[in-house]
Amino acid sequence: MSAAEPARSRAISNLFLPPAASARWVDLPADQRRLSGVRLMESAHPGEEAQAIAILIREALEVPEKRIALITPDRGLAGRVVAQLQRWGIEADDTAGQPLPQTAAGRLLLLLAELLAEDAAPVPLLAVLTHPLVAAEADRPAWLENARKLDLRLRGPRPASGLEPLRAIAEQANLRDWWAGVETTLGPLFTLVGELPLALQLETLVGVAEALCGTQLWARPDGRALSAFVEELREAARAAGTLLDPRELHAALRDAMDRTAVRPPWGGHPRVAVYGLIEARMSRADLVICGGLTEGVWPASPSPDALLPPAVLRALGVPGADFRIGLSAHDLAAALGAPEVVLSHAQRDEGAPVIPSRFILRVKAMLGDLEKGHQEVEAVRLARQIDDAPPAPRYPRPQPMPSAEQRKVEIAVTGLDRLRGDPYQFYASSVLRLSSLDPLDAEPSAAWKGTAVHAILERWHDEGGDLLTIADEELDKMSAHPLMRTLWRPRLVAALAWIGEEIAELRGEGRDVIASERKGDMLVKGIRIHGRADRIDRLADGNLAVVDYKTGRPPSGAMVQEGFALQLGLIGMIAEAGGFEGVSGKTERFEYWSLSRDLRQRDEIRFGFRDEPILEGRRKTGLPREEFISTTAGYLVDAIDRWILGNEPFTARLNPDIGGYNDYDQLMRLDEWLAQLGGEGDAA
């Protein structure tokens, strides 16, 4: 380090006196206790500490030729500081380098191993296909466009394992030729089955990586480091005859790669360096910042030997915990010799409060009443304010007002409920034409299950045959993951069996299915109303019954009565208007057929039941049967007059008490204004 003032050297000697001799601090004059040029900085948490250190470094760089060094054994803190310095375009020279798994080349090899371990699951697959080194020597924009198309098709529950089930999904996205090349490239990975030599697995992994990336895989420093790592590991595995299950390759590679660091050959900023304790012993700087001065970090917590107790280790001459603490004290004493020194620590780590290092406590005890003059508070203040923007104005409740031409959109039979309950969601889906995307590897949603049920029942109504066999075949077509099928299939089978029995019973009463999964439409005031009828039956008296299948609980009678569940009524209106091919007549019955558990049966667990939101008998909510169509028509015309042909704004959460979809809550910034509604009257 650069030389400090002689007076500070005497203070440092006093600072590290043995415990018995440190009692003399109370008698030392101020000039022998004062650590001139040394500042103490206390932060609330590691993130604030890293930001404050970065500010000190940026400030010091304003002085020409001034050299700055951050010394810390805490690699997490060092990484934070390096990241914060990039705010000003400063690339610190981090002597520890970057762990190989965090580099582009290292990540690619690990992703391929993960892809193998997880049998081509969507998340690692897309991570591989969109990796920055993949297709770098080809037409990368076209490659990424194809990968994005595949991404959209893979949204939702995980498909079956392996590459073969993905072939049909790629064909649906018109990616047959591109996927054929991908499958050929990745295919060798999935020939690795059972315990195999580690050297063979590494060769296969590297071969696939080279096929994806070409020479770009090895062109940069991280690629050269990866090449050396693979070669060394392969030779060692070949010499030892190591065998490994391919599913464990990812974890084994990760553990081995964590020990390899990658440093750019040209270093970083010529005046900013980040050192560990060992490198710091051979360095010099004008400003030294000692970071992470907490117990367990500096000095480090002693690590117990797994085999021998401390007494035996001492008898063998192995340095113990006291020696290591003394070495840490020596490193700090050396750092205190720089012209300017900042001793920094945080009050807590990521999980809990921490104790300041014993060295910090010694400094404070020796300084006594002089401590206040050694505190660094300005950098901490700036760290707390640097990301504080002026408070944004309150975001108002969205009330978009599209033009008359933009308003004239079609209304789906499932969209009227959304239009009346939350006009903004209708605006986002039908006017802006935005739709939400399911996550990759998502849990089967209600919509996904509904699609599966409708596909099964449509084929059964059209073709006949065994309903459960058709269910298995349709789930295969939808690439349902085996785990999902195992968990969901028993409930589905029970509900489908109930549907089959119920239809057979109704057929005996003269009620027949005349349409299934049939599309239809009609015009109301020039606006097209369209939808798909799950099922339409012809009753014995010639009238119609419309059926809507539900995988969950059906809407309540109150929802129908208030005009927020009108799908059955709209299907009935289209049927009476002749909007379904081959269907005509008056609609008399409006039924929900739910595949969920029938809670009315308390003695046994049964799946599947019928419900009709008709106000009759002991029922207290719903619509009278004879008024069902006319009331639905009234709600429809009112909505068309207000929002489609009128000029009423598409107000977000117009009826906040009505549950429903929340696909657009983030778009409407719901949390920013919902609490402001207060006592507003928001009834429709």
Side-chain angles (χ1 to χ4, degrees):
M1 297 292 176
S2 301
E5 300 177 7
R8 196 201 303 169
S9 299
R10 290 192 296 273
I12 293 173
S13 299
N14 291 326
L15 175 65
F16 290 100
L17 287 172
S22 62
R24 59 177 287 196
W25 289 345
V26 296
D27 300 323
L28 287 177
D31 60 336
Q32 294 186 29
R33 292 185 290 116
R34 182 179 292 110
L35 292 166
S36 56
V38 177
R39 290 170 282 169
L40 300 173
M41 186 170 74
E42 182 177 86
S43 308
H45 51 80
E48 185 177 276
E49 181 182 10
Q51 182 67 81
I53 291 173
I55 289 173
L56 289 173
I57 294 173
R58 178 64 185 88
E59 182 182 30
L61 286 175
E62 291 297 306
V63 180
E65 300 183 7
K66 188 171 185 177
R67 293 164 298 172
I68 305 101
L70 168 63
I71 303 174
T72 179
D74 185 349
R75 287 305 307 159
L77 176 64
R80 278 189 167 105
V81 174
V82 170
Q84 292 288 358
L85 287 172
Q86 292 177 358
R87 177 195 296 264
W88 300 288
I90 300 171
E91 293 289 341
D93 185 8
D94 189 354
T95 58
Q98 188 177 17
L100 183 57
Q102 296 180 17
T103 64
R107 280 200 311 273
L108 178 64
L109 205 69
L110 287 175
L111 283 171
L112 287 172
E114 184 181 355
L115 182 67
L116 171 60
E118 297 196 17
D119 288 328
V123 173
L125 173 65
L126 290 171
V128 167
L129 296 179
T130 58
H131 189 279
L133 294 180
V134 172
E137 298 177 348
D139 186 359
R140 183 161 171 82
W143 177 278
L144 290 178
E145 183 63 27
N146 290 333
R148 292 187 184 103
K149 291 179 181 178
L150 181 63
D151 180 359
L152 293 176
R153 287 289 179 175
L154 289 175
R155 297 281 169 161
R158 178 188 294 196
S161 302
L163 295 176
E164 187 174 351
L166 300 175
R167 191 181 306 152
I169 297 175
E171 290 179 358
Q172 293 172 8
N174 297 320
L175 298 173
R176 175 183 295 179
D177 295 339
W178 177 78
W179 177 254
V182 172
E183 191 172 356
T184 301
T185 302
L186 297 178
L189 280 181
F190 299 93
T191 62
L192 301 174
V193 180
E195 273 201 351
L196 294 171
L198 176 58
L200 172 63
Q201 296 184 46
L202 286 172
E203 290 170 0
T204 305
L205 214 60
V206 169
V208 172
E210 286 182 333
L212 287 170
C213 306
T215 58
Q216 288 298 311
L217 179 63
W218 317 113
R220 299 169 56 187
D222 58 334
R224 293 189 285 274
L226 179 64
S227 174
F229 165 80
V230 169
E231 189 63 31
E232 180 182 355
L233 183 60
R234 181 168 50 191
E235 291 304 317
R238 185 177 288 123
T242 305
L243 298 177
L244 190 69
D245 190 317
R247 292 171 295 182
E248 299 174 359
L249 180 60
H250 175 264
L253 277 180
R254 181 61 188 251
D255 288 344
M257 291 171 70
D258 277 336
R259 305 185 186 101
T260 303
V262 180
R263 277 183 49 81
W266 52 86
H269 195 285
R271 293 196 285 138
V272 180
V274 180
Y275 297 126
L277 298 185
I278 295 177
E279 297 91 342
R281 298 169 190 169
M282 300 173 286
S283 64
R284 298 171 63 87
D286 300 301
L287 168 62
V288 171
I289 303 171
C290 299
L293 279 162
T294 58
E295 283 296 306
V297 177
W298 191 350
S301 299
S303 54
D305 191 277
L307 300 176
L308 299 175
V312 176
L313 292 173
R314 285 195 298 270
L316 294 173
V318 178
D322 293 345
F323 174 81
R324 294 185 179 89
I325 292 173
L327 197 58
S328 297
H330 181 275
D331 292 330
L332 181 62
L336 286 170
E340 293 182 59
V341 182
V342 176
L343 305 179
S344 172
H345 73 94
Q347 296 174 340
R348 60 179 298 119
D349 60 14
E350 290 83 355
V354 295
I355 300 173
S357 168
R358 63 193 69 189
F359 306 137
I360 289 285
L361 298 178
R362 272 182 161 258
V363 170
K364 291 183 176 181
M366 189 185 76
L367 288 174
D369 57 348
L370 302 177
E371 179 187 344
K372 188 174 181 180
H374 287 74
Q375 292 177 349
E376 171 59 58
V377 295
E378 182 62 14
V380 176
R381 184 185 69 83
L382 293 175
R384 291 170 179 168
Q385 294 181 354
I386 193 168
D387 291 322
D388 281 351
R394 284 191 171 187
Y395 188 76
R397 186 186 199 178
Q399 294 182 317
M401 290 282 290
S403 66
E405 189 62 31
Q406 292 171 330
R407 288 172 178 268
K408 290 183 180 179
V409 295
E410 301 172 348
I411 301 177
V413 294
T414 56
L416 181 60
D417 303 338
R418 183 175 291 188
L419 176 58
R420 288 181 47 78
D422 190 346
Y424 184 89
Q425 295 214 32
F426 180 89
Y427 165 78
S429 62
S430 298
V431 179
L432 298 182
R433 298 188 181 278
L434 300 175
S435 59
S436 63
L437 294 177
D438 288 332
L440 292 167
D441 259 356
E443 293 293 328
S445 64
W448 191 93
K449 292 179 180 179
T451 300
V453 168
H454 288 164
I456 293 167
L457 293 174
E458 178 182 14
R459 183 177 162 191
W460 181 60
H461 286 307
D462 292 345
E463 302 175 6
D466 183 64
L467 184 54
L468 301 185
T469 302
I470 293 174
D472 286 333
E473 292 175 356
E474 287 299 320
L475 289 175
D476 285 339
K477 289 181 183 179
M478 298 184 73
S479 301
H481 192 270
L483 177 61
M484 187 280 300
R485 291 177 58 172
T486 302
L487 296 176
W488 186 44
R489 189 179 183 279
R491 302 180 65 169
L492 176 63
V493 166
L496 290 177
W498 169 81
I499 289 178
E501 295 170 0
E502 197 76 5
I503 290 179
E505 182 179 340
L506 292 175
R507 189 176 290 121
E509 299 174 2
R511 175 170 166 174
D512 295 317
V513 178
I514 60 172
S516 173
E517 299 295 330
R518 186 164 300 180
K519 294 181 179 179
D521 61 2
M522 65 178 178
L523 289 178
V524 177
K525 305 191 77 169
I527 303 300
R528 179 173 177 258
I529 313 300
H530 63 92
R532 183 193 297 265
D534 291 352
R535 200 179 90 214
I536 301 177
D537 295 352
R538 178 78 66 187
L539 300 175
D541 60 3
N543 291 327
L544 303 176
V546 295
V547 175
D548 184 24
Y549 292 119
K550 295 292 183 183
T551 55
R553 308 299 299 178
S556 66
M559 290 283 289
V560 176
Q561 181 177 325
E562 294 170 9
F564 298 114
L566 301 173
Q567 182 177 354
L568 287 175
L570 291 175
I571 293 292
M573 288 178 62
I574 296 175
E576 291 188 356
F580 294 110
E581 184 179 355
V583 176
S584 62
K586 179 183 177 183
T587 307
E588 184 178 329
R589 298 191 66 86
F590 308 88
E591 298 176 350
Y592 293 114
W593 286 39
S594 173
L595 279 67
S596 63
R597 181 180 174 184
D598 187 357
L599 298 179
R600 296 171 299 185
Q601 301 291 333
R602 299 184 179 181
D603 298 335
E604 57 179 328
I605 297 178
R606 293 183 57 184
F607 291 94
F609 64 92
R610 283 194 289 167
D611 184 56
E612 196 174 17
I614 298 298
L615 186 60
E616 60 185 16
R618 299 175 61 184
R619 188 155 197 158
K620 297 181 179 180
T621 59
L623 293 175
R625 189 179 302 278
E626 62 277 5
E627 298 177 11
F628 206 99
I629 293 293
S630 60
T631 302
T632 301
Y635 283 131
L636 174 62
V637 170
D638 174 70
I640 291 174
D641 288 341
R642 292 169 64 185
W643 288 289
I644 307 302
L645 301 179
N647 59 0
E648 191 160 326
F650 289 84
T651 305
R653 288 295 173 95
L654 185 61
N655 298 277
D657 295 331
I658 301 298
Y661 297 98
N662 56 2
D663 295 343
Y664 304 99
D665 285 359
Q666 185 177 10
L667 182 65
M668 68 173 70
R669 296 165 67 168
L670 178 68
D671 292 339
E672 298 183 42
W673 54 263
L674 183 61
Q676 303 172 27
L677 292 183
E680 293 181 15
D682 295 310

